[in-house]
Amino acid sequence: MFANYLIGLREGLEASLIVCILIAYLVKTERRDALKPVWLGIGAAVFVALAFGAGLEFGSQEMTFKAQEALGGSLSIVAVGLVTWMVFWMRRTARHLKSELHGKLDAALQMGTVALVVTAFLAVGREGLETSLFVWTAVHATSDGTTEPVIGALLGLATAVVLGWLFYRGALRINLAKFFTWTGGMLVVVAAGVLAYGFHDLQEADFIGGLNHLAFDISSTIAPDGWLGTLLKGVFNFQPDPTVLQVVVWCAYLVPTLTVFLLPSGLLTRRAEAVQASSSR
């Protein structure tokens, strides 16, 4: 449940902050007349995200077992890629997110109602679709027949909405850069488990071999249905009997990604500028 709570909280808070920034800017600049089209765009984005998630859930139920595993594994890889990009993007732009959104909103105000709807839709819709995809894949990976993974994700989203409202009211002030750094690091760990489980799904779908080649099997020590096994699976997507491919994928993703993510942001910027300068020569 904790891993799905973290996903709902981390991804939902990004969308909540964007909504708060858009609404607060319009109120402070006395452009309340533009609130209706902005809310329309936000509502449309939420509807599309929910419809996307529902389509994934109900559409997959009509498939054969191997087709479900192939879909789940493929979407897990896509979701991890999107979340990894978003985690690095948010870490880099957290300090400048407000000014960036204000600039886009100013341009939309000059262009009219349709531009406001589109701006709000795109700003929130990207977060919504990514959240739906990652929550679905994470729940699919950690689901054990109970509703706890879904409840965890919904509680995380609910917490994100409350925190967003508190930000808007000015009752809560935290260092967003540090918040997204810490939660982003934890989300990278969760993503590593989702990615490994995604490859396991592809193995079960016979897309990739090696399903019977186990790296280790400690099921007798950590029972999958025991409290410790359930806890480790819920937080890290841990399996007591992973395949060799799962372990390789988990290590190959987690170690370099977390190392780069935890590097000082200034160092990352300087390295990116050096690479860009060398490639332009």
Side-chain angles (χ1 to χ4, degrees), residues 3-4 6-12 52-53 56 72 75-84 86-87 126-142 149 153 183-184 186-195 237 253:
N4 292 286
L6 176 63
I7 294 168
L9 172 63
R10 177 61 167 73
E11 299 299 306
F52 178 64
L56 288 174
L75 290 181
S76 293
I77 295 172
V78 173
V80 169
L82 290 174
V83 167
T84 303
M86 182 56 66
V87 162
R126 180 185 63 183
E127 303 293 339
L129 290 175
E130 177 191 312
T131 301
S132 293
L133 178 58
F134 198 53
V135 167
W136 184 84
T137 55
V139 168
H140 173 76
T142 59
T183 57
M186 289 188 287
L187 200 58
V188 168
V189 176
V190 173
V194 172
L195 184 63
N237 282 295
Y253 170 83

Side-chain angles (χ1 to χ4, degrees), residues 137-149:
T137 55
V139 168
H140 173 76
T142 59
S143 180
D144 54 1
T146 68
T147 58
E148 289 186 0

Side-chain angles (χ1 to χ4, degrees), residues 85-104:
W85 175 81
M86 182 56 66
V87 162
F88 279 93
W89 177 83
M90 181 56 73
R91 181 175 182 243
R92 187 177 66 253
T93 62
R95 296 184 179 88
H96 314 293
L97 181 62
K98 182 182 292 187
S99 59
E100 180 179 328
L101 289 173
H102 286 176
K104 292 181 179 178

Side-chain angles (χ1 to χ4, degrees), residues 12-29:
L13 188 57
E14 291 181 18
S16 295
L17 288 176
I18 289 174
V19 171
C20 291
I21 291 171
L22 293 176
I23 300 302
Y25 184 65
L26 292 176
V27 171
K28 288 182 179 180
T29 56

Side-chain angles (χ1 to χ4, degrees), residues 156-227:
L157 290 172
T159 304
V161 172
V162 172
L163 289 176
W165 182 80
L166 291 175
F167 275 117
Y168 175 77
R169 300 297 299 176
L172 186 62
R173 297 183 181 277
I174 63 174
N175 188 316
L176 289 179
K178 289 184 178 180
F179 175 84
F180 283 119
T181 296
W182 281 103
T183 57
M186 289 188 287
L187 200 58
V188 168
V189 176
V190 173
V194 172
L195 184 63
Y197 202 90
F199 274 86
H200 183 264
D201 282 347
L202 293 179
Q203 287 180 311
E204 290 192 322
D206 288 336
F207 270 48
I208 303 176
L211 181 61
N212 297 318
H213 293 87
L214 302 183
F216 53 83
D217 187 351
I218 54 174
S219 302
S220 58
T221 304
I222 302 178
D225 55 351
W227 71 268

Side-chain angles (χ1 to χ4, degrees), residues 35 38 48 61 64 68 73-74 87 99 110 120 129 141 169 197 204 209 220 223 227 249 252:
L35 287 175
V38 167
V48 169
Q61 293 179 3
T64 63
Q68 288 181 3
S74 300
V87 162
S99 59
Q110 296 177 2
L129 290 175
R169 300 297 299 176
Y197 202 90
E204 290 192 322
S220 58
W227 71 268
V249 168

